[in-house]
Amino acid sequence: MRPLWLFAITIAIGCAPPPTTGPDYPTYPEYQPDQGSAPARPPSRQIDPETFGQIDSTQVDFQFEGGKLEFELRREGDHVVQIARNRYAVPVTIAFTLSDLDNVSPISATSGVVVLPPASAPLGKGPAKVLGELTVIDPSQPYRRNLGFRARFGDPRSRAQPYGYRLPYKRGLAFAVLQGFHGAFSHRGSNEFAVDFNCPVATQVVASRPGVVVATNASALGSGTTAEFLDYTRVNFVLVLHDDGTLGEYMHLAPSGVLVAPGQRVERGQDLALSGNTGYSSTPHLHFQVMTAATDGIAARSFPFRFAVTPERALEPVQGDSYLAWE
């Protein structure tokens, strides 16, 4: 009952030719984890990724409602740099590898983890980041590199602050927890502190905490428990950025069932979507968790949380128990 990171491969050949925060978004200081193995030799000079050389190749990937990732190869003489840019209004952490080098040699690490800073608004232009640098061996011949990456929404430094979350469905409804924290079916690792509610398709899903919608998907169809359904593209979801930098993740939503748009501010209890049965799922349900990216750029880090079950009490959800929404 979970999606995994999206894995994408893009290939480029050197022959072909495009403020960071807003009032509703948390501020993210500069952060870049270690870049894998040590550079083959130090980079020749400081690189301004926005102005360096000319663009040899551009690709777009990890694209949903609310943004995308852009990758550019820029070249000046025999010096080539691989650049990435985030067009989501939320940080995206990527683990990347440059491989299958043809007519180029590395002058920096060819793998690593980078946090791409957010754009100021959905589909805005986030700051460009240099992933790696290469030297063309024979400038008279084409060159090639293979870029592989895995991506996760969020900044690894974000930490969940104490908060009593609202049950994510309408007042007066009660649903049992199909799978709680550490659930044996799929709530391990990236989904360790997720909860699945046993609600039927088309149940109204509401925001458990105020925030800003930063990414959605409503185009996925079908469900299953085989590997292909672990991809984000196979599940419908809404991601809400909280003021502590964590993300509220609402998943397995109905096709065309998303009711909000990226960039929209939502309040506690506001309608977000209709529940469904898409992605890695064996039965209709609503998956909710509080999460961010892990430091490796591959996994997510989920956080334990409590639901406000009465005006005075907040409890961790327990598998098998039912919870009545009173708000």
Side-chain angles (χ1 to χ4, degrees):
M1 301 180 184
R2 61 189 174 109
L4 286 179
W5 36 262
L6 175 69
F7 177 74
I9 296 289
T10 57
I11 298 176
I13 301 174
C15 305
T20 62
T21 59
D24 289 326
Y25 300 94
T27 298
Y28 300 94
E30 181 71 12
Y31 172 69
Q32 183 167 309
D34 292 340
Q35 292 290 295
S37 57
R41 67 177 191 268
S44 58
R45 55 194 168 97
Q46 289 294 107
I47 297 297
D48 180 352
E50 302 288 356
T51 61
F52 179 82
Q54 295 182 338
I55 298 174
D56 268 357
S57 177
T58 301
Q59 297 89 38
V60 173
D61 212 320
F62 200 68
Q63 185 168 9
F64 300 99
E65 292 297 320
K68 56 189 175 182
L69 299 184
E70 293 179 341
F71 299 93
E72 293 176 353
L73 277 176
R74 286 180 169 264
R75 178 176 179 178
E76 186 174 287
D78 64 354
H79 193 176
V80 176
V81 294
Q82 175 67 67
I83 291 167
R85 178 181 286 107
N86 177 14
R87 288 187 174 268
Y88 289 98
V90 61
V92 175
T93 304
I94 65 170
F96 73 92
T97 301
L98 300 174
S99 62
D100 300 332
L101 304 181
D102 182 8
N103 195 33
V104 284
S105 60
I107 58 173
S108 70
T110 55
S111 64
V113 178
V114 174
V115 177
L116 301 178
S120 60
L123 291 173
K125 188 176 181 180
K129 299 284 285 186
V130 174
L131 303 185
E133 298 181 61
L134 308 166
T135 295
V136 178
I137 298 169
D138 181 353
S140 69
Q141 298 297 317
Y143 67 92
R144 184 186 299 267
R145 67 85 181 94
N146 197 62
L147 169 64
F149 77 94
R150 298 174 180 180
R152 280 286 187 179
F153 290 105
D155 185 324
R157 294 165 304 171
S158 298
R159 295 292 180 269
Q161 300 302 310
Y163 185 84
Y165 289 81
R166 188 198 193 283
L167 288 160
Y169 40 84
K170 289 289 191 180
R171 179 179 179 177
L173 296 179
F175 297 111
V177 173
L178 278 175
Q179 187 179 197
F181 296 174
H182 318 293
F185 178 68
S186 61
H187 289 179
R188 300 176 300 278
S190 294
N191 301 279
E192 181 180 3
F193 297 107
V195 61
D196 294 334
F197 286 102
N198 185 21
C199 55
V201 170
T203 298
Q204 285 182 291
V205 178
V206 303
S208 288
R209 180 175 178 173
V212 179
V213 178
V214 290
T216 69
N217 189 40
S219 61
L221 300 171
S223 63
T225 56
T226 51
E228 65 266 28
F229 288 101
L230 292 171
D231 197 298
Y232 262 117
T233 62
R234 301 301 301 270
V235 63
N236 295 323
F237 62 84
V238 171
L239 293 181
V240 176
L241 179 64
H242 305 142
D243 61 8
D244 60 8
T246 62
L247 292 159
E249 185 178 63
Y250 306 77
M251 287 195 156
H252 308 293
L253 308 175
S256 303
V258 173
L259 307 176
V260 289
Q264 180 178 342
R265 177 81 187 180
V266 294
E267 301 303 327
R268 183 182 177 103
Q270 185 171 334
D271 288 350
L272 297 179
L274 300 176
S275 69
N277 187 30
T278 56
Y280 194 80
S281 173
S282 60
T283 189
H285 71 285
L286 170 63
H287 167 113
F288 174 76
Q289 73 172 331
V290 180
M291 49 77 69
T292 190
T295 56
D296 63 3
I298 297 172
R301 176 174 181 173
S302 65
F303 300 97
F305 60 89
R306 294 171 178 262
F307 285 120
V309 296
T310 73
E312 295 83 25
R313 294 177 66 206
L315 301 174
E316 289 188 359
V318 176
Q319 187 165 316
D321 288 359
S322 292
Y323 296 91
L324 174 68
W326 57 272
E327 298 182 63

